Amino acid sequence: MEELQPAQLAAKFINLTSRHIFLTGKAGTGKTTFLRSLISLTHKKAVIVAPTGIAAINAAGVTIHSLFQLPFGTYLPKVVLTTNVAEYQHYNTPKSIIKHLNMNATKRRILLDLELLIIDEVSMLRADLLDAIDMVLRYIRKNNSASFGGVQVLFIGDLHQLPPVVKNTEWNLLSAFYKSAFFFDAQVLEKNPPVYIELEKIYRQADETFIHLLNNLRNNQVTEQDIALLKTYYKENYRPVLTDNYITLTTHNNKADTLNRNSLKELAGKSYFYNAIIDKEFSEGSYPAEKSLELKVGAQVMFIKNDPTGEQRFFNGKIAIVKKLTDEVIEVEADGSRQNIIIEKYTWKNIKYTANKVTNDIEEEIAGTFTQFPLKLAWAITVHKSQGLTFDKAIVDIGDAFAPGQIYVALSRLRSMKGLILTSLISGRGIRQDQNVTYFAKTKEQQEDLTIQIKKESDAFLNHSLLQSFNFSVLDVYVFEHVFSYTKDEKRSMKQTHLSWATKLQKDLMALKVNADKFLRQIEKLFIAGNAESLNLLLERTQAAENYFNPQLQQMSGSIFELIEVVKTQKQTKEYLVELLEMEAMFYEQYKRIRKAKAMLAAANQGVELKKEDVLALYDSAKRAEQIKTAYTLPNKEEFKPPGEDVYSRIRAAKKIKEPKEPKEDTKEITLALFKQGKNMTEIAAERKMTIGTIEGHLAHFVARQEVKATELVPAKRLDEITSVIAKLKSMKLNEVRDALGKSYGFGEIKIGIAAYLAEGN
């Protein structure tokens, strides 16, 4: 087998497995290039997030806090004793976050459909923030058994660069839960460590001596020879001539700003001011350039974008001198060139993710733009803001009192040592790396050969994808809970008049699920990794299964669309419409999963990888586009706009249902486990400190799914009377059935009777 390069290995792990991945590499190894290529090719639904606003803009993604609606501040996986917390300290817990988590339908849909979460600049990502992401995904996706609720995570960054910021007062709380503040010490990764992949080819530097020095800095292996080499570039109190084209890398913003401001003042001539054009949403903290750029002829500037024309006249970090200015035009001469360049304004986009109504795919939506000349004054810049830039000449003014990794960041910005001037001596003590990072880096050598891992993981992922595509359990629970949401009297709720429709949908789905469960057993029997004959037979059976299940799923979707047309003509049904649209999306996702899993199996049997364009070609977008357009068009020809607030949050609030303290095992499953241990409903209610009615509701759920016999809960005679009344009334409304039976029957018993009636396929 041909040996794969690290970037190829990373791409295969993403496309063929569900393993979390840490993709790292020295400065200049092409991590950003890899990310761009991945997004354009992967068949998985992906979003990009970053810890800060500027990092998110640069990565063409969104901030972690905005996507997951997380508050700023310390996150603790559990509540701590108040004796350990000072009065002024605030922290967040699963309970406090969930309590205020009020996601709209679109954002919830994105998180439900998400397959790949890409986190850029993870050197700055704190362990507690990563655990908060895990908690929200498990909660929204109702999947507490898998890390990140079943979403694969790609971590991108260089841990030898800028570390996470943690105040001492925060660490006093966090240290009870975490070994360090770095993302790799998050609790979610303890049992699910990422595959460690390192990009090794350096594109920025070609000087072997310089590369060797940077490697030693990065790996905490600085020698006396390295220190001696650095001393040869030391020039005490060096002050460059303004025309020398040096940029000074310094420690703090105010120092860099002062150097730039004073240097600009030294220039004679008129100042020109160029104001950015900001359209719609673009937060001030995420501005990628100066809101008001002041320039003079002769000013030293730096490009903050690569040449968008593709002619490579300049790159991000290239130094230039301003040669001509007018109110509308900036003309510069780039360092090393004698040809002037007329600069055009550049538009940065602030994106938001949205769910495509037609395909349910995750798409980018432009929330706002920031348009400005891609230049900034560049006599000085902070090391922090230099990350990702490349310089030919730089004065490094950092001393030895720097955080681990920052000296490496500063020196690695340079193409070669020819352009280096140090204005302070650097000692071995000042460049020591964080020991937690050094320890984590060793896991790369300890892991199993990646090519072997890929084979095992890809087989497991394919098998899991097939099983998930024909597993109707989540859809079944969703529809079951939908049916039991019809709780009001017909006179008070238009929704209630459609209960019989919902009941029929549930019965049809339950019948389909019975056959799907049988096919799941076939998959488990036929899937033999590496056995071509078995996998070809499985492909035949999967094709036949798709031909059986998908037309019925489409028919059920069609039934929902038909009801939507009726409901649109009725008053006070906006929330009900949202429920129906979301339920239809669930059916459509099941249909898509089956189509995609079959395509994945076919691709694997042919020894090829599935790409984004292959997946998009699987669906009839034209027909669905027409269905969605019709569904969202109201009788008055206006477009239906769902409420911005999560309708389910409002329903829960109205019913005063308490949010869970933290994500944990499904509460119904806990009740089932206790029941199977031989405990009766009274004992379970006492142990769980719940009402008997709640326990009855839990077990009714499993009666409908034929996992518990109704006669184990309600005497056979009473059960027969309940089901007889339901059949006679042709109604499953609790009040109607109770009135017919008499008050000696409790609502809990009747729920179990209704569940039994449904389980019999009535």
Side-chain angles (χ1 to χ4, degrees), residues 609-670:
E609 282 187 42
L610 206 63
K611 293 185 173 61
K612 179 181 280 189
E613 61 189 33
D614 302 326
V615 173
L616 294 176
L618 293 173
Y619 317 121
D620 182 2
S621 297
K623 179 184 177 183
R624 182 164 175 80
E626 191 59 38
Q627 288 177 311
I628 291 293
K629 182 181 177 182
T630 302
Y632 276 85
T633 304
L634 295 172
N636 60 5
K637 305 302 180 184
E638 288 183 7
E639 183 184 359
F640 168 66
K641 294 181 180 178
E645 187 185 357
D646 176 5
V647 61
Y648 295 104
S649 293
R650 295 198 341 237
I651 292 169
R652 285 195 297 270
K655 293 181 179 179
K656 297 183 181 178
I657 296 176
K658 293 181 180 178
E659 300 290 2
K661 291 183 179 179
E662 57 185 272
K664 53 189 177 183
E665 187 181 353
D666 186 337
T667 187
K668 295 189 292 293
E669 295 286 351
I670 297 172

Side-chain angles (χ1 to χ4, degrees), residues 281-342:
E281 296 178 39
F282 215 110
S283 68
E284 191 171 344
S286 300
Y287 288 171
E290 297 291 339
K291 185 178 180 182
S292 180
L293 177 64
E294 180 185 1
L295 294 177
K296 291 180 181 179
V297 172
Q300 181 168 295
V301 292
M302 177 180 72
F303 292 98
I304 52 178
K305 288 298 297 180
N306 293 332
D307 185 356
T309 67
E311 296 175 18
Q312 299 184 333
R313 299 168 299 168
F314 55 86
F315 55 81
N316 193 5
K318 181 75 173 176
I319 300 296
I321 300 298
V322 176
K323 292 295 181 181
K324 182 180 178 182
L325 294 172
T326 70
D327 289 337
E328 299 294 332
V329 176
I330 300 175
E331 200 168 318
V332 304
E333 181 185 284
D335 188 26
S337 171
R338 293 187 178 179
Q339 203 167 15
N340 286 4
I341 303 170
I342 296 175

Side-chain angles (χ1 to χ4, degrees), residues 485-651:
S485 72
Y486 291 73
T487 56
K488 293 182 180 179
D489 187 274
E490 277 189 22
K491 294 176 182 177
R492 295 190 299 141
S493 169
M494 190 61 71
K495 171 182 174 179
Q496 202 67 28
T497 62
H498 302 293
L499 173 61
S500 58
W501 170 88
T503 305
K504 181 181 184 307
L505 179 70
Q506 184 187 23
K507 286 195 290 184
D508 291 345
L509 179 60
M510 286 175 65
L512 196 62
K513 184 180 180 295
V514 169
N515 290 324
D517 289 344
K518 290 177 183 176
F519 187 61
L520 289 178
R521 292 192 284 274
Q522 283 192 44
I523 294 173
E524 290 172 340
K525 183 179 178 181
L526 288 173
F527 193 97
I528 304 173
N531 186 315
E533 184 179 346
S534 176
L535 293 180
N536 280 327
L537 177 58
L538 180 57
L539 180 59
E540 287 180 22
R541 297 283 176 85
T542 303
Q543 179 66 69
E546 181 189 2
N547 293 340
Y548 172 76
F549 289 106
N550 270 351
Q552 295 189 65
L553 287 171
Q554 286 179 302
Q555 190 174 8
M556 292 176 193
S557 276
S559 170
I560 299 172
F561 280 131
E562 288 172 10
L563 180 62
I564 286 170
E565 292 310 301
V566 174
V567 172
K568 284 191 310 190
T569 64
Q570 299 170 336
K571 294 180 180 180
Q572 297 182 328
T573 56
K574 183 170 275 192
E575 289 183 358
Y576 186 40
L577 277 173
V578 172
E579 291 179 52
L580 293 174
L581 286 164
E582 289 206 356
M583 186 161 63
E584 192 284 325
M586 296 281 288
F587 276 91
Y588 185 58
E589 277 304 304
Q590 193 79 47
Y591 160 85
K592 286 175 67 180
R593 274 197 292 271
I594 290 174
R595 293 230 68 189
K596 183 177 176 180
K598 192 263 299 192
M600 286 173 64
L601 180 58
N605 285 8
Q606 295 167 20
V608 297
E609 282 187 42
L610 206 63
K611 293 185 173 61
K612 179 181 280 189
E613 61 189 33
D614 302 326
V615 173
L616 294 176
L618 293 173
Y619 317 121
D620 182 2
S621 297
K623 179 184 177 183
R624 182 164 175 80
E626 191 59 38
Q627 288 177 311
I628 291 293
K629 182 181 177 182
T630 302
Y632 276 85
T633 304
L634 295 172
N636 60 5
K637 305 302 180 184
E638 288 183 7
E639 183 184 359
F640 168 66
K641 294 181 180 178
E645 187 185 357
D646 176 5
V647 61
Y648 295 104
S649 293
R650 295 198 341 237
I651 292 169

